[in-house]
Structure formats: C-alpha cells, structure tokens
C-alpha cells in the first residue's frame, strides 16, 4: 500500500482523557464532550462514543465531497443527505475493527446520476481516501 502524500491546509487537534470512558475536547474549545461506551458494549451510554464521532465526521465530510463533485458536474444536490453507519466489531485476528455504510439520498437527480455522484465523491472525500483498503465501506443510494 502506498502512503498518500498530503499538502496540509488545516490541522484539527483533539485530546482524549480516560479513553472510551472520559472526555474529548478540541484545542479551540469548539468541541468538548463526554465519551462513554454504549450500552451494547457494557457501558452506561451516557455520553457519545468514538464511533458516533467518526460517523458524524465521515457523513459531514462525504456531504462536502458530494458538493465538490456536484459543482463540477453541475448537478442539483439540494436536499441531499448522507447518513453514516459505523459498526464496531471484533476482527478475525482478535483485535477490533470498523465497518461503514454511507447511505446517500439525492432527491433532485435520477438514480444513475446519484450513483455516479456518490462514486465520484467517494474518490474525493478525505475520509474515504483514509479508509480505502483498510475498512469495508459500503455505498448505498437511497
């Protein structure tokens, strides 16, 4: 696998305390949240969790990439939505891994155009580029 070369334009900084049962905050104070394991994993579920944060980031990033592609293609994506489902589970090697489904709705274009836009956005999105070849990412046009 080739390491992607990037000319950095922005760097986000976040610090976690006490891992999955603590707090995560950004250096600028715009994000400061309690994190707790979900009830499904034996936690109290009182706070958010890393998978929810990843889903939020991926869906927002993919929506942005969809906008870039739509402008290039002169396609109307108004009213579009991207829902990221991030699953956490055990790997055959005994560790843990992620699985993602991106469900994308683009109501103002036909199905073929929507599929094409989603596939092109998947090539542009930084999260997609970071996860490609590492985790299973399913794209669904709804």
């Amino acid at each position: 696998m080739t390491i992607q070369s990037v000319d950095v334009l922005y760097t986000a900084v976040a610090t976690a305390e006490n891992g999955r049962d603590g707090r995560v905050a950004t250096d600028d104070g715009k994000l400061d949240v309690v994190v707790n394991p979900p009830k499904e994993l034996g936690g109290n579920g009182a706070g958010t969790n890393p998978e929810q944060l990843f889903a939020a980031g991926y869906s927002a990033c993919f929506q942005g990439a969809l906008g870039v592609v739509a402008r290039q293609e002169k396609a109307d994506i108004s009213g579009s939505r991207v829902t990221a489902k991030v699953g956490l589970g055990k790997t055959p090697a005994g560790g843990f891994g992620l699985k993602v489904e991106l469900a994308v709705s683009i109501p103002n274009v036909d199905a073929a155009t929507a599929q094409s836009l989603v596939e092109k956005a998947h090539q542009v999105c930084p999260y997609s580029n970071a996860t490609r070849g590492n985790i299973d990412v399913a794209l669904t046009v709804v």
Side-chain angles (χ1 to χ4, degrees), residues 32-125:
D32 190 341
V33 295
V34 171
V35 291
N36 298 114
K39 289 181 180 181
E40 297 86 347
L41 297 178
N44 65 18
T48 189
N49 60 67
E51 292 71 38
Q52 288 177 325
L53 294 169
F54 187 76
Y58 202 161
S59 62
C61 188
F62 198 89
Q63 181 75 44
L66 188 61
V68 168
V69 170
R71 283 188 294 282
Q72 292 170 346
E73 303 281 324
K74 297 184 180 15
D76 179 8
I77 63 160
S78 59
S80 63
R81 296 175 62 133
V82 176
T83 301
K85 297 178 184 179
V86 176
L88 171 70
K90 292 186 177 182
T91 66
F96 291 89
L98 300 174
K99 184 175 186 175
V100 174
E101 178 188 352
L102 297 176
V104 184
S105 170
I106 311 173
N108 295 323
V109 299
D110 61 73
T113 301
Q115 185 67 41
S116 175
L117 291 169
V118 166
E119 289 172 7
K120 289 176 181 174
H122 191 47
Q123 299 306 310
V124 171
C125 177

Side-chain angles (χ1 to χ4, degrees), residues 1 4 28 30 41 45-46 63 67 81 84 88 90 94 111 125 128 131 135-136 139 141-142:
M1 177 183 283
Q4 183 180 35
D28 62 6
K30 292 181 181 179
L41 297 178
Q63 181 75 44
R81 296 175 62 133
L88 171 70
K90 292 186 177 182
C125 177
S128 293
T131 59
I135 66 173
D136 181 18
L139 304 173
V141 176
V142 295

